[in-house]
Amino acid sequence: MSPFFQKIKNSIYNNIFSLFLFVFILNIFYTLLVSSLVPAHASFVSATCQWDCFWYKEIVSYNYSAVPRLYDTNRLAQADWSFFPLYPWITQILTHFFHLSFEWSGLIINLFLWPSVITLSYKDVSKRIKSTNPILFSLFFLIYPFNIWYHSQYTESIYGFFLILLTIGSYNNNLLLSSLSSFFLSLSRPTGFITSCIIATLKAVQNIKKGLLSKSEILSDKNILCPLIIVAAGAGLALFILYLYHLTGDGLAFLHAERAWGKTGITSSFNVNYYRLHKGKIIFLIYFLMSLILLWKMRATKWRLNMLVTAGTLFLVCCSGLTSVERYIFSNPLVIEFLAFYAVQLGGKKRLFLFTLCAILNMLAMGLWLHHSHILI
């Protein structure tokens, strides 16, 4: 290896900002590559905007509606209250200041945040688990088959960004980083508050095991951190509740709106026979079974945080039906970093085969997504 490339490699290994630049550049090339898969009649930004993207676009354009849809035959009685506000609000600010379309603003946010998620995930694994190869670790994220929502106008990047920041802040006992991360995490998705509570509870249990609840330690940062995370996350959720109460008179409208999608609780939404007997839905049952296998593989003590967050997310998904389970579980950065860590640990030929397979499946998944396949939602 020439001295120039050796210097770049050393910089990537030793400097987190250099790693971010490396991943950012790779992601730009990756985006240009997958844009060749777009149908001839569409552009990349329009092809990536589908499903939830249309709801976010309407929120950015017209703000949240005060009443559900009463005259839309395709979305009768449905409302945008189920879509949490952080992503559309940030997109709205970007759209206003730079005079961009929603599609471009939403995509640009994710193109910047996705490399940040990858870089922070590497930092998280290196500090909390074990140091690994940053180049291969980052490459796995970029060719991972279920990363398609990070290249679309979805909340994955912003949710993943604050989730990893909260994880890093919690084990570093950083009060400011943890509280801000949990606040914004709760504003980004319905699962944000529960995820923050899981991380805070796990931290509290660890403190108890270490005997940090003595009188001399009771007011230490390590102990204050746990309730602070829950309070900050609750404040984020409460802000949206108060907004909905002011708008609709129903602070829990984001929950009640789920009924229009047939999501009425775990007993009625989690119907295995429904997914087993419908040809177009059985794929989500397969994704669910894959999620259970994943949780079993995560059972090691060092991956407990990843496992508990994933298990909590899976439970919430089951409460509202299995549709989109692949997005909520397999696009979670705590899941991807777990898979990436062990992928990098494989021997040369096995790793090459796995990375090649992931790259092929990723191109296939992106092609299906850009052509509006119902296999991925």
Side-chain angles (χ1 to χ4, degrees):
M1 183 180 292
S2 67
F4 175 73
F5 287 109
Q6 184 63 46
K7 185 176 180 180
I8 292 176
K9 180 181 177 181
N10 292 338
S11 179
I12 291 172
Y13 270 72
N14 301 316
N15 188 297
I16 199 71
F17 183 70
S18 296
L19 177 61
F20 170 79
L21 289 178
F22 170 74
V23 175
F24 181 79
I25 293 170
L26 278 184
N27 189 50
I28 294 297
F29 282 112
Y30 169 86
T31 304
L32 293 174
L33 176 64
V34 297
S35 64
S36 63
L37 302 174
V38 174
H41 64 272
S43 65
F44 183 72
V45 291
S46 63
T48 53
C49 186
Q50 50 184 302
W51 301 107
D52 292 2
C53 172
F54 296 119
W55 288 102
Y56 291 122
K57 183 176 181 179
E58 292 183 5
I59 294 169
V60 169
S61 301
Y62 310 111
N63 292 318
Y64 285 92
S65 59
V67 294
R69 295 179 174 275
L70 304 176
Y71 306 104
D72 187 336
T73 55
N74 293 324
R75 296 183 287 182
L76 187 62
Q78 295 179 8
D80 50 20
W81 310 321
S82 297
F83 300 91
F84 273 44
L86 185 60
Y87 179 68
W89 285 352
I90 292 177
T91 306
Q92 194 173 45
I93 292 171
L94 197 65
T95 300
H96 175 75
F97 278 100
F98 294 97
H99 304 288
L100 299 170
S101 66
F102 161 77
E103 289 85 356
W104 270 113
S105 298
L107 194 60
I108 287 172
I109 290 171
N110 287 348
L111 289 178
F112 273 96
L113 286 181
W114 176 225
S116 302
V117 170
I118 297 173
T119 307
L120 290 171
S121 295
Y122 169 74
K123 183 177 181 179
D124 173 44
V125 166
S126 298
K127 297 292 185 181
R128 188 164 54 90
I129 308 298
K130 183 183 177 182
S131 182
T132 188
N133 186 314
I135 296 176
L136 293 177
F137 184 87
S138 303
L139 183 60
F140 182 88
F141 269 73
L142 290 172
I143 63 174
Y144 179 65
F146 290 100
N147 71 8
I148 56 176
W149 298 280
Y150 290 94
H151 297 89
S152 303
Q153 297 84 347
Y154 267 62
T155 60
E156 259 60 33
S157 288
I158 202 163
Y159 179 82
F161 178 73
F162 287 112
L163 175 58
I164 296 297
L165 278 182
L166 175 57
T167 304
I168 292 173
S170 64
Y171 68 69
N172 284 328
N173 301 305
N174 189 316
L175 299 181
L176 181 61
L177 180 61
S178 299
S179 56
L180 287 176
S181 299
S182 58
F183 176 82
F184 289 120
L185 193 66
S186 291
L187 272 177
S188 62
R189 258 198 203 164
T191 54
F193 176 73
I194 300 300
T195 298
S196 298
C197 291
I198 291 172
I199 293 174
T201 302
L202 180 61
K203 181 68 175 178
V205 170
Q206 291 173 346
N207 288 348
I208 292 172
K209 288 183 177 180
K210 293 177 181 178
L212 297 177
L213 295 183
S214 61
K215 289 184 178 180
S216 59
E217 295 279 354
I218 196 65
L219 294 179
S220 65
D221 287 354
K222 293 181 179 180
N223 287 320
I224 293 175
L225 181 69
C226 305
L228 182 63
I229 289 175
I230 296 175
V231 169
L237 181 61
L239 181 63
F240 189 44
I241 289 174
L242 290 172
Y243 173 80
L244 289 177
Y245 180 77
H246 170 76
L247 181 68
T248 68
D250 180 6
L252 297 178
F254 68 92
L255 286 176
H256 302 150
E258 295 285 336
R259 294 187 66 89
W261 280 276
K263 301 176 180 180
T264 55
I266 190 167
T267 55
S268 56
S269 297
F270 186 62
N271 187 337
V272 173
N273 285 330
Y274 171 74
Y275 294 95
R276 183 175 62 86
L277 299 175
H278 286 71
K279 185 174 67 173
K281 299 289 185 180
I282 194 171
I283 186 66
F284 299 112
L285 182 59
I286 295 172
Y287 289 142
F288 171 72
L289 295 176
M290 289 169 58
S291 301
L292 295 180
I293 295 172
L294 174 70
L295 288 174
W296 174 252
K297 294 292 185 180
M298 281 182 167
R299 66 188 185 277
T301 303
K302 63 183 178 181
W303 295 106
R304 184 165 294 164
L305 184 147
N306 303 59
M307 185 196 71
L308 289 176
V309 170
T310 305
T313 304
L314 182 61
F315 176 77
L316 292 175
V317 170
C318 291
C319 288
S320 59
L322 295 182
T323 303
S324 297
V325 64
E326 80 287 4
R327 177 164 66 90
Y328 285 112
I329 300 302
F330 292 103
S331 70
N332 189 313
L334 293 179
V335 169
I336 306 176
E337 70 178 19
F338 168 78
L339 297 173
F341 179 81
Y342 284 109
V344 174
Q345 304 303 310
L346 292 175
K349 290 184 179 180
K350 289 183 179 179
R351 185 170 61 204
L352 178 61
F353 173 77
L354 178 60
F355 274 56
T356 303
L357 179 63
C358 283
I360 294 171
L361 292 175
N362 178 269
M363 288 293 111
L364 177 62
M366 282 300 302
L368 290 171
W369 179 256
L370 294 172
H371 286 79
H372 296 195
S373 170
H374 288 215
I375 295 176
L376 300 160
I377 297 180

